[in-house]
Amino acid sequence: MAASTTRNVEVRGNTSRSVGLIGMGDMGKMYARCIAGAGWRVNACDRAEKYEALKGEFAEIENIHIYVNGHFVARQSDYIIYCVEAELIDAVVAAYGPSDSKAATKLGAIVGGQTSCKAPEIKAFEKHLPSDVEIVSCHSLHGPSVNPAGQPLVLIRHRSSDASFALVEQILSCFRSKFVYLTAEEHDRITADTQAVTHAAFLSMGTAWHANNQFPWEVTKWRSGIENIKINITLRIYSNKWHVYAGLAILNPAAQQQIRQYATSVTELFKLILEGKRQEFETRIRTAGEFVFGKQRDKLLLRDDILDQFSLSGVPKAERKPNSHLSLLGMVDCWWKCNIVPYDHMICSTPLFRLWLGATEYLFRQPDLLDDCIRFALDDDSFRSDDLEFTFAARGWSDAVSFGDFNSYRLRFEKPQEYFAPRFPEATKLGNEMIKTILQRMKSVEEAGASATTTAASAS
């Protein structure tokens, strides 16, 4: 099924139909508040030890009803959404879904999930749910602190009637998101293309800075417009829970392959720098850039005046240093090697991916800037130790994902997280402002491009 969007129509709900949420993490809570705010009855739960705290948190919202476990949610809800980690989905569905459990899924209910990797989710539903239960999954392609209006919301109609699917659309219309219709397989491939390597790049930056005992906003060589993207988004990722990224990376085979290629691209480019193979390095960079950006004629998504608004350092532009930008060079090389044209997936891209694409475009579509970057990477060794640590970090994250060990992933994530924690509140606030401002800019660029295309077509 090809990806497409539907109208952003918000339909008010009513408490005669209920929505169940099993899992009340950050996204589950966001879903609960928005769906209840649209007039639907919400039945929700998390682990038993969180029952009293959740009851207190939602006591003032009349149509959110907190239960001690998923049995009470599954047996009375018309649309049940599992908002749990991807690695736990099978166990949780097995506990609350089957007809032989203490309280089975409501007869004729619709069930879906909000995990970032759909293969294990759909497998769990098919394995444990009664045959009369319909399956419609979803995935909001943004974090819980981002306004969902206008953001992509994937709908996966795996097993349902027209009426049931229309009910899910009606319920989720309260987010005012852009519906994108995909199969589970299409979803996993696109999220691998747009999210997995993006996360790996930022995670590697954080690991490298931590290894060098550096707060990058305090070091002159990371004080520039494009570095503000790197720093703010890295801190934003590390301020979240580790499992948000682990499931997508470890359980999605396409993601594993692309993260491995990113580590390979970074390693091979760094070796060319160390060996001083100028011609081979430059040819490879420019070939990759032509593959990814060669057909782009629209205005740049990012501009200096926008980037400079969101600095954690406040250092004047004149005092900034050049950068080898190995993380960006490796990203474009990875897309080239994986035969990925990132613009093809903009319809269901996350805000972080759009920012990362904007950063790579900013470097590669400004010839003078790319020339300086290539020259600096080869002729100036002031970033060599940083690039070495970044290479180690990229390979380490690739190994963690390939081994499929969630505990190792968690430990690797939590060390930099603890290191950067004091700056999370400031970075989150600044990051939210940056995302809002830059996404508005991107929207205007996209609308301008669409208008130009329409005008050209009319003229011909």
Side-chain angles (χ1 to χ4, degrees), residues 85-318:
E85 298 95 315
E87 68 271 20
L88 300 179
I89 188 70
D90 185 81
V92 178
V93 176
Y96 303 132
S99 56
D100 59 352
S101 63
K102 294 179 182 177
T105 300
K106 182 179 180 179
L107 181 67
I110 312 161
V111 172
Q114 229 282 341
T115 67
S116 58
C117 186
K118 294 303 179 186
E121 179 183 295
I122 296 298
K123 183 178 179 180
F125 291 155
E126 291 180 336
K127 179 180 178 182
H128 299 297
L129 295 178
S131 59
D132 62 81
V133 171
E134 299 181 87
I135 301 172
V136 179
S137 268
C138 63
H139 185 199
S140 291
L141 295 176
H142 56 84
S145 62
V146 174
N147 185 343
Q151 298 296 332
L153 197 168
V154 174
L155 293 182
I156 297 172
R157 181 178 179 176
H158 186 71
R159 186 174 82 196
S160 80
S161 65
D162 290 344
S164 293
F165 190 67
L167 175 61
V168 171
E169 289 183 306
Q170 182 184 0
I171 291 168
L172 299 183
S173 70
C174 65
F175 294 110
R176 294 183 292 116
S177 298
K178 294 180 180 179
F179 288 159
V180 181
Y181 302 93
L182 300 173
T183 66
E185 294 79 8
E186 288 169 339
H187 169 276
D188 284 357
R189 178 65 199 183
I190 290 174
T191 53
D193 289 354
T194 58
Q195 295 186 56
V197 184
T198 302
H199 297 157
F202 289 115
L203 290 170
S204 299
M205 287 181 223
T207 298
W209 288 328
H210 175 225
N212 277 333
N213 196 30
Q214 293 169 329
F215 295 103
W217 54 89
E218 297 176 353
V219 181
T220 305
K221 61 186 176 184
W222 281 299
R223 296 172 177 176
S224 68
I226 201 169
E227 300 300 345
N228 294 335
I229 294 283
K230 295 180 182 179
I231 294 170
N232 285 321
I233 300 304
T234 296
L235 294 185
R236 186 181 185 86
I237 285 177
Y238 276 105
S239 70
N240 287 322
K241 295 179 174 67
W242 66 273
H243 67 76
V244 172
Y245 311 103
L248 170 67
I250 292 175
L251 297 176
N252 189 330
Q256 290 189 22
Q257 176 187 354
Q258 291 171 25
I259 292 170
R260 189 180 306 116
Q261 178 57 55
Y262 182 65
T264 299
S265 292
V266 168
T267 300
E268 292 178 353
L269 290 175
F270 186 58
K271 286 180 177 178
L272 292 176
I273 292 172
L274 291 179
E275 294 167 357
K277 295 184 177 180
R278 184 178 302 272
Q279 186 61 50
E280 186 176 347
F281 179 79
E282 183 170 354
T283 298
R284 181 163 174 168
I285 294 301
R286 296 194 187 282
T287 302
E290 178 62 25
F291 172 82
V292 174
F293 302 108
K295 296 181 180 179
Q296 296 304 310
R297 298 293 181 267
D298 294 335
K299 294 180 180 179
L300 292 176
L301 296 176
L302 303 179
R303 296 195 318 249
D304 281 328
D305 61 326
I306 293 177
L307 291 171
D308 288 344
Q309 297 176 38
F310 305 103
S311 172
L312 285 170
S313 64
V315 174
K317 187 174 181 180

Side-chain angles (χ1 to χ4, degrees), residues 289-296 332 343 357 360-361 364-365:
E290 178 62 25
F291 172 82
V292 174
F293 302 108
K295 296 181 180 179
Q296 296 304 310
V332 176
Y343 296 95
L357 175 59
T360 58
E361 179 190 76
F364 274 80
R365 289 186 58 200

Side-chain angles (χ1 to χ4, degrees), residues 22-91:
I22 297 178
M24 287 288 279
D26 293 337
M27 286 299 289
K29 290 177 181 179
M30 188 272 281
Y31 264 52
R33 290 190 175 96
C34 192
I35 293 171
W40 303 94
R41 175 189 170 101
V42 173
N43 306 312
C45 72
D46 204 289
R47 295 193 300 271
E49 62 268 24
K50 295 186 176 183
Y51 173 63
E52 293 297 337
L54 285 172
K55 279 192 68 176
E57 183 176 350
F58 291 95
E60 296 183 1
I61 304 180
E62 184 178 355
N63 53 330
I64 295 182
H65 303 267
I66 303 297
Y67 295 92
V68 71
N69 61 46
H71 294 303
F72 298 97
V73 174
R75 72 181 182 182
Q76 63 177 313
S77 303
D78 296 291
Y79 179 39
I80 304 154
I81 306 173
Y82 284 81
C83 299
V84 301
E85 298 95 315
E87 68 271 20
L88 300 179
I89 188 70
D90 185 81

Side-chain angles (χ1 to χ4, degrees), residues 287 370 420:
T287 302
L370 184 60
F420 291 119

